[in-house]
Amino acid sequence: MTQIRSSQYTFFVTAARGTEAFASEEARALGAEILDVLPGGVSVRGPLELGYRLCLWSRVAQRVLLPIAHFQAATAEELYEAIRGLPWEEHLEVDTPFEVECTRAAESAIAHSHYAALKTKDAIADRFRSRMGRRPSVRRSGRRLTIHLYLKGCEASVSVDLSGEPLYKRGYRQHSGTAPLKETLAAALLYAASWPEYAAQGHPLVDPFCGSGTIAIEAATMALRIAPGLLRSHFGFLAWRQHDQQTWHALRAEARSRTLPANGRPPLIYASDCSANVLHQAHDAAKRAGVFPAIRFAQADARGLQPPPHSRPGLVLTNPPYGHRLSGDAIDELYAQFGDTLRHNFLGWTAFVFTGNLSAARHIGLRPTQRLPFWNGPIECRLLRFPIASTSVRGSGPRWRQQTREAATPKG
Ligand SMILES: C[S@@+](CC[C@H](N)C(=O)[O-])C[C@H]1O[C@@H](n2cnc3c(N)ncnc32)[C@H](O)[C@@H]1O
């Protein structure tokens, strides 16, 4: 199967485990026909403009791939022959550098992804050399086309990577912070917590363990309708031979015109952390993202934090430390004291705690009404939802401990 120039394309939107449903909802809202939601991504259909829209507007997608061929390849030689037979001249100018990235399922017949990528590069270069007498250069930085190869069993899928650099690289982060969340994961957590609906009704968001500010910055870009791709200067499709510059310019102009001013109203988003160093990084990133006036940053201990003065109840969405650098007792104590803070100071609010330490999370002392599974890189995490109402307070006796232990235990 090969996909050639047509008015309708199939795209594969890759998304981290646990975030596929949000990527699918976003794609639908951007006008896509949803073909399939799979572990790791969503297959969608629409015109080329949709591919650009996904790159510009999706907050959850990691990459937007344009599959161009799918075939059987049980060996590296079969892979080479099939790749060499594809019409690369339709996708790549001989003067455009390219790179090949390969991912493979555990059971793929070709055992080494690096070797498969090398064979793919050779096949593309050899096709150009035999037809045009010279080969495109291979480069890993600067403007280039990224070809994506996926191997599973004896099957290979080849795609043009329209996004190029993964889309979580928004362009506003310069420091790596203390265990920062990927921007795409932070956006999925905000969707899961219904932040867009809260923001539209003027309810505030508080992140008391904000670190480098990822949750707050992503929340602000949602509230201000800032397209996350507006800050990026490079996308893979800019080096693609079929790129339609006019459509891309029109979409960027449309996105700019939809952006709300960051200083047009009082901040709805409150972000604090006990570390001055990470707050400094958060300030920098928020300024680069153009959302600094929309966020009130403060250096504060999450234990004993008060809600913003005179504010209506809203959302607490936060990612406390998982405790790798703290003793078991210290991290349990931190979660217990934060739970006390929620119960005593945030009555009427809804709290979402994102953590990879489910044993510490039991010490929050509230019963989660929802436990959504996500992966933070290799760490299996849960987003725990705690409505803070007087009836949800379980006290500190054995009853809530037993209930929360059951609730926080991962199933399967
Ligand atoms: C997992 S990191 C948060 C990362 C953040 N979501 C990001 O994307 O950068 C946890 C943060 O909690 C902060 N922290 C630890 N104990 C705290 C406390 N008692 N009060 C406030 N912040 C605390 C740390 O400084 C760290 O920045």
Side-chain angles (χ1 to χ4, degrees):
M1 182 280 285
T2 58
Q3 184 167 227
I4 52 169
R5 281 170 195 261
S6 69
S7 55
Q8 290 287 306
Y9 293 79
T10 298
F11 303 98
F12 190 71
V13 177
T14 73
R17 267 191 290 176
T19 69
E20 299 92 340
F22 301 105
S24 169
E25 263 321 296
E26 262 190 346
R28 192 193 308 278
L30 292 170
E33 177 193 347
I34 308 297
L35 301 178
D36 212 353
V37 183
L38 299 160
V42 190
S43 181
V44 304
R45 195 164 169 74
L48 179 58
E49 182 190 313
L50 172 69
Y52 291 176
R53 252 183 218 288
L54 288 163
C55 287
L56 184 60
W57 279 101
S58 178
R59 300 177 194 278
V60 174
Q62 304 261 32
R63 292 176 184 275
V64 179
L65 303 178
L66 175 67
I68 56 171
H70 184 85
F71 50 82
Q72 296 280 318
T75 64
E77 288 63 40
E78 285 178 19
L79 176 70
Y80 175 92
E81 288 306 328
I83 297 277
R84 194 171 167 165
L86 295 174
W88 289 105
E89 320 68 65
E90 291 182 6
H91 300 286
L92 194 59
E93 300 274 4
V94 69
D95 296 321
T96 306
F98 74 101
E99 64 175 356
V100 177
E101 293 204 343
C102 176
T103 51
R104 50 181 287 280
E107 74 277 21
S108 63
I110 301 173
H112 299 288
S113 48
H114 185 63
Y115 185 56
L118 273 179
K119 282 303 237 190
T120 302
K121 267 184 220 164
D122 286 348
I124 297 171
D126 289 349
R127 181 179 175 101
F128 274 97
R129 198 186 289 115
S130 72
R131 295 188 165 223
M132 298 182 187
R134 60 200 177 99
R135 47 174 291 168
S137 78
V138 177
R139 197 162 73 193
R140 287 203 64 85
S141 61
R143 182 165 290 194
R144 66 208 180 277
L145 187 71
T146 306
I147 309 296
H148 192 269
L149 174 68
Y150 178 66
L151 301 173
K152 185 174 184 192
C154 289
E155 294 182 14
S157 301
V158 183
S159 305
V160 169
D161 184 345
L162 295 182
S163 34
E165 295 239 288
L167 295 173
Y168 68 81
K169 295 193 176 174
R170 306 278 204 237
Y172 62 69
R173 195 199 291 283
Q174 278 191 338
H175 311 274
S176 55
T178 311
L181 290 177
K182 279 211 170 87
E183 292 73 358
T184 41
L185 177 57
L189 301 179
L190 285 157
Y191 282 137
S194 303
W195 165 241
E197 290 78 8
Y198 276 84
Q201 291 168 28
H203 292 279
L205 175 91
V206 172
D207 179 358
F209 296 92
C210 75
S212 59
T214 321
I215 290 173
I217 294 169
E218 290 297 314
T221 63
M222 282 182 184
L224 298 172
R225 295 192 214 140
I226 298 174
L230 269 182
L231 276 178
R232 284 169 53 116
S233 56
H234 182 66
F235 288 92
F237 56 72
L238 295 173
W240 182 44
R241 193 161 182 200
Q242 296 175 41
H243 171 51
D244 176 351
Q245 185 73 353
Q246 215 180 339
T247 299
W248 175 235
H249 274 165
L251 287 175
R252 279 180 62 91
E254 178 199 76
R256 275 196 220 95
S257 72
R258 292 187 56 192
T259 299
L260 301 174
N263 50 7
R265 51 185 174 162
L268 273 183
I269 299 162
Y270 298 81
S272 50
D273 198 283
C274 63
S275 157
N277 189 31
V278 292
L279 275 172
H280 180 67
Q281 297 173 13
H283 287 189
D284 273 3
K287 282 178 189 156
R288 267 192 302 278
V291 298
F292 187 68
I295 304 172
R296 185 139 310 159
F297 287 104
Q299 186 176 1
D301 197 313
R303 297 165 292 185
L305 192 76
Q306 293 289 338
H310 316 300
S311 84
R312 307 155 70 186
L315 274 182
V316 175
L317 171 56
T318 198
N319 169 216
Y322 303 167
H324 303 307
R325 294 193 210 123
L326 297 173
S327 73
D329 285 351
I331 195 73
D332 291 351
E333 187 62 20
L334 176 65
Y335 278 67
Q337 291 178 345
F338 181 56
D340 287 345
T341 302
L342 291 175
R343 275 200 302 277
H344 294 126
N345 300 351
F346 285 83
L347 206 66
W349 289 60
T350 302
F352 285 84
V353 176
F354 181 69
T355 183
N357 189 337
L358 296 176
S359 135
R362 288 181 205 129
H363 293 264
I364 289 175
L366 291 162
R367 184 182 184 176
T369 56
Q370 231 183 347
R371 300 170 298 278
L372 295 174
F374 288 94
W375 288 79
N376 185 1
I379 307 171
E380 186 175 357
C381 294
R382 292 288 182 277
L383 180 65
L384 304 169
R385 178 177 191 268
F386 302 106
I388 318 291
S390 47
T391 50
S392 69
V393 178
R394 289 278 179 266
S396 55
R399 192 169 131 74
W400 72 259
R401 281 189 196 282
Q402 192 188 345
Q403 285 168 334
T404 49
R405 190 170 303 123
E406 285 162 11
T409 304
K411 301 256 179 330

